[in-house]
């Protein structure tokens, strides 16, 4: 679909324009903080409204990319400014623009110093996330992909907890190491194909031996981002130290960059290598699902427990992607969107009580339902969505992944299904310890009820999790043609475990 105005560019760079407005805010420190929050909220909210035009203008029956914009950038090198979306990238753009204003609202009272700088970091982060999902040029993709690191590093390192500097550097070094290998592979691909255009590269026939090394280079970067076991260790530290909104956007969007990269690059460009490495990825994913679920059971920190649960859920995503069939890839996509909503809500659940008692220790709570019944209701709904209760988005994604995995290798589906049982164990255990029981501690009885602002954050997240669970075709119809396009590019190589 062609447009008469550059809608994708506007959505991508509008948050960056908001940074200019933030730089102009003047007055006392209190006024600067208040006005900065308002500017960031209005800009991100307007960006979300604009992104809805993508949804309503998108034709799910068309193959290829829509809303394309292409202008020569470095003509002599075959590099262009190329944006566009298909049924794979569009849901992630909507997820990003939806979660950013909610994250800013979640920061409204918890961030009290250098507020303007914090809001700038969030708006820059939004531009980088949207730009990465919209890029159809490999160089642009890399710039946005790496650009995400900088504001997230600052959000964790400046506004995080006591060990924030350690967590920020660990996050940065892990992701940077993988990205350097990906850059080397991109240079090789450019040398081979003579272009950085992603659609053209998807059609290029890389030699099988070269695919082997290119796959490993991209895998090093995407596996860290997902994150897959055993390169997941940066995630619990980053989540525990990050402010609540940082955890929401980290789990909600940034973890999806690796899964998106596998679908956009690894499957269509290195199909034979993807098929060759599928058994290895299944093993790593099953270990992630089972091992990190067991580790989650042993946690005493609420945030750390949810962080480990994210690693387990993303294990389902990589299983679905490398099942390399329609159910698996669509299930992985659905699972990523669902996890983006549910995990953001769960981290916000932790943030709500942390703002009141300033501790995340599970043992410090109990009987919260007596003081905060609405909070307990939202928490219960998101907990049930996380364990895949039918009627929630979590059920649809996990079931599709298991069907896709069964069609590829039944042992993978059987082992991964144990993660559902373990997931129910640690989430129910968490919920019982925090919410149920008698509220005997005075500080629990004195907990303030949900504020209007907190209610406004929970409601839209709950609505979408319920809507996608009851009416999943809202998302699946958008993805269907794009997933078939990817499978068409993979071709007849899906044989490894059959």
């Amino acid at each position: 679909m062609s447009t008469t105005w550059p809608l994708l560019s506007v959505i991508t760079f509008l948050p960056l324009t908001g940074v200019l407005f933030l730089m102009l805010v003047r007055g006392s420190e209190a006024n600067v903080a208040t006005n900065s929050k308002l500017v960031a909220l209005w800009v991100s909210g307007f960006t979300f409204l604009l992104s809805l035009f993508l949804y309503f203008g998108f034709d799910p029956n068309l193959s290829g990319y829509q809303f394309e914009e292409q202008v020569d950038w470095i003509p002599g090198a075959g590099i262009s400014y190329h944006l566009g979306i298909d049924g794979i990238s569009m849901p992630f753009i909507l997820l990003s623009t939806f979660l950013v204003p909610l994250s800013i609202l979640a920061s409204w009272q918890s961030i009290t110093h250098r507020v303007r700088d914090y809001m700038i970091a969030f708006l820059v982060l939004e531009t980088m996330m949207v730009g990465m999902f919209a890029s159809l040029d490999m160089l642009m993709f890399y710039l946005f992909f790496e650009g995400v690191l900088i504001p997230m590093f600052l959000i964790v390192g400046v506004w995080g907890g006591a060990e924030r500097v350690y967590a920020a550097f660990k996050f940065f070094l892990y992701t940077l190491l993988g990205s350097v290998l990906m850059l080397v592979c991109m240079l090789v691909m450019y040398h081979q194909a003579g272009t950085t255009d992603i659609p053209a590269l998807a059609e290029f026939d890389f030699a099988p031996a070269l695919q082997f090394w290119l796959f490993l280079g991209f895998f090093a970067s995407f596996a860290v981002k997902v994150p897959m076991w055993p390169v997941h260790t940066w995630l619990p530290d980053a989540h525990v130290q990050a402010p609540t909104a940082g955890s929401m956007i980290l789990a909600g969007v940034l973890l999806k960059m690796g899964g998106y990269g596998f679908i956009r690059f690894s499957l269509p460009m290195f199909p034979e290598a993807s098929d060759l490495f599928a058994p290895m990825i299944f093993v790593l994913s099953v270990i992630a699902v089972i091992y990190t679920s067991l580790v989650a059971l042993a946690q005493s920190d609420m945030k750390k427990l949810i962080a480990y649960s994210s690693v387990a859920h993303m294990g389902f995503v990589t299983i679905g992607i490398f099942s390399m069939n329609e159910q698996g890839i669509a299930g992985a996509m659905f699972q990523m969107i669902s996890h983006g909503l549910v995990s953001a809500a769960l981290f916000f659940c932790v943030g709500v009580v942390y703002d009141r008692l300033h501790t995340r220790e599970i043992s410090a709570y109990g009987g919260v339902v007596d003081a905060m019944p609405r909070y307990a209701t939202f928490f219960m709904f998101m907990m049930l969505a996380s364990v895949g209760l039918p009627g929630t988005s979590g059920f649809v994604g996990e079931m599709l992944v298991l069907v896709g995995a069964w069609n590829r290798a039944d042992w993978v589906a059987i082992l991964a299904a144990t993660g559902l049982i373990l997931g129910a164990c640690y989430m129910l255990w968490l919920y019982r310890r925090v919410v149920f029981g008698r509220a005997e501690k005075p500080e629990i009885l004195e907990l303030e009820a949900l504020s209007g602002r907190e209610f406004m954050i929970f409601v839209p997240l709950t609505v979408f999790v319920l809507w996608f669970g009851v009416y999943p075709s809202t998302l699946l119809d958008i993805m269907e043609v794009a997933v078939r396009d990817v499978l068409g590019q993979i071709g007849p190589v899906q044989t490894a475990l059959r």
Side-chain angles (χ1 to χ4, degrees), residues 97-392:
T97 59
F98 173 67
L99 285 181
V100 169
L102 294 183
S103 300
I104 289 172
L105 269 178
S107 313
W108 211 258
Q109 291 184 333
S110 57
I111 301 299
T112 56
H113 72 289
R114 303 183 67 174
V115 176
R116 174 164 57 184
D117 297 341
Y118 179 85
M119 296 300 162
I120 288 174
F122 253 90
L123 292 184
V124 172
L125 182 63
E126 183 170 20
T127 285
M128 296 300 157
M129 293 187 301
V130 174
M132 192 213 68
F133 290 125
S135 292
L136 291 182
D137 183 272
M138 191 166 58
L139 179 61
M140 286 183 61
F141 173 87
Y142 184 78
L143 293 176
F144 285 120
F145 189 84
E146 291 305 296
V148 166
L149 282 180
I150 299 170
M152 199 64 221
F153 172 79
L154 294 174
I155 289 169
V156 176
V158 177
W159 293 277
E163 302 293 330
R164 59 186 180 276
V165 174
Y166 166 76
F169 274 101
K170 190 174 182 180
F171 160 72
F172 191 86
L173 290 175
Y174 264 67
T175 51
L176 184 65
L177 178 62
S179 298
V180 169
L181 295 175
M182 184 172 71
L183 178 61
V184 173
C185 290
M186 285 181 169
L187 292 174
V188 173
M189 291 169 69
Y190 173 72
H191 178 73
Q192 287 284 314
T195 180
T196 56
D197 193 63
I198 290 175
L201 288 168
E203 300 293 331
F204 190 83
D205 188 16
F206 291 101
L210 183 60
Q211 283 188 32
F212 179 91
W213 297 108
L214 294 176
F215 179 90
L216 287 178
F218 277 81
F219 178 77
S221 181
F222 297 150
V224 171
K225 275 287 195 304
V226 168
M228 295 182 69
W229 183 88
V231 289
H232 67 286
T233 59
W234 63 269
L235 183 69
D237 290 324
H239 270 307
V240 168
Q241 298 303 321
T244 297
S247 291
M248 289 172 66
I249 213 72
L250 178 61
V253 181
L254 266 63
L255 298 191
K256 314 303 177 290
M257 292 163 57
Y260 174 77
F262 280 134
I263 298 173
R264 181 64 76 212
F265 286 89
S266 302
L267 294 191
M269 297 182 193
F270 324 124
E272 296 181 19
S274 297
D275 191 57
L276 178 67
F277 282 104
M280 178 195 77
I281 291 174
F282 286 149
V283 171
L284 295 179
S285 302
V286 167
I287 292 174
V289 169
I290 297 175
Y291 169 73
T292 55
S293 294
L294 292 172
V295 173
L297 274 169
Q299 297 307 309
S300 59
D301 183 302
M302 285 192 282
K303 231 179 176 185
K304 218 166 204 177
L305 187 152
I306 297 170
Y308 277 110
S309 80
S310 292
V311 179
H313 281 105
M314 295 309 288
F316 274 92
V317 169
T318 46
I319 287 173
I321 292 172
F322 284 91
S323 294
M324 297 170 74
N325 53 45
E326 189 171 344
Q327 296 91 347
I329 297 174
M333 286 281 301
F334 204 100
Q335 175 74 352
M336 283 194 277
I337 299 299
S338 170
H339 180 262
L341 299 170
V342 174
S343 62
L346 286 174
F347 279 115
F348 184 61
C349 285
V350 177
V352 167
V353 289
Y354 179 80
D355 287 344
R356 287 160 171 76
L357 288 189
H358 303 291
T359 177
R360 292 186 299 268
E361 287 296 315
I362 297 171
S363 58
Y365 295 89
V368 171
V369 67
D370 292 343
M372 305 175 70
R374 286 185 177 179
Y375 168 81
T377 305
F378 284 121
F379 193 0
M380 180 180 67
F381 180 78
M382 291 303 170
M383 180 270 296
L384 294 174
S386 178
V387 303
L389 183 78
T392 65

Side-chain angles (χ1 to χ4, degrees), residues 440-458:
E440 297 174 346
K441 299 173 183 175
E443 59 269 27
I444 298 294
L445 292 170
E446 294 171 1
L447 285 174
E448 294 180 12
L450 279 184
S451 68
R453 174 183 59 83
E454 291 165 337
F455 196 74
M456 285 172 57
I457 297 171
F458 274 124

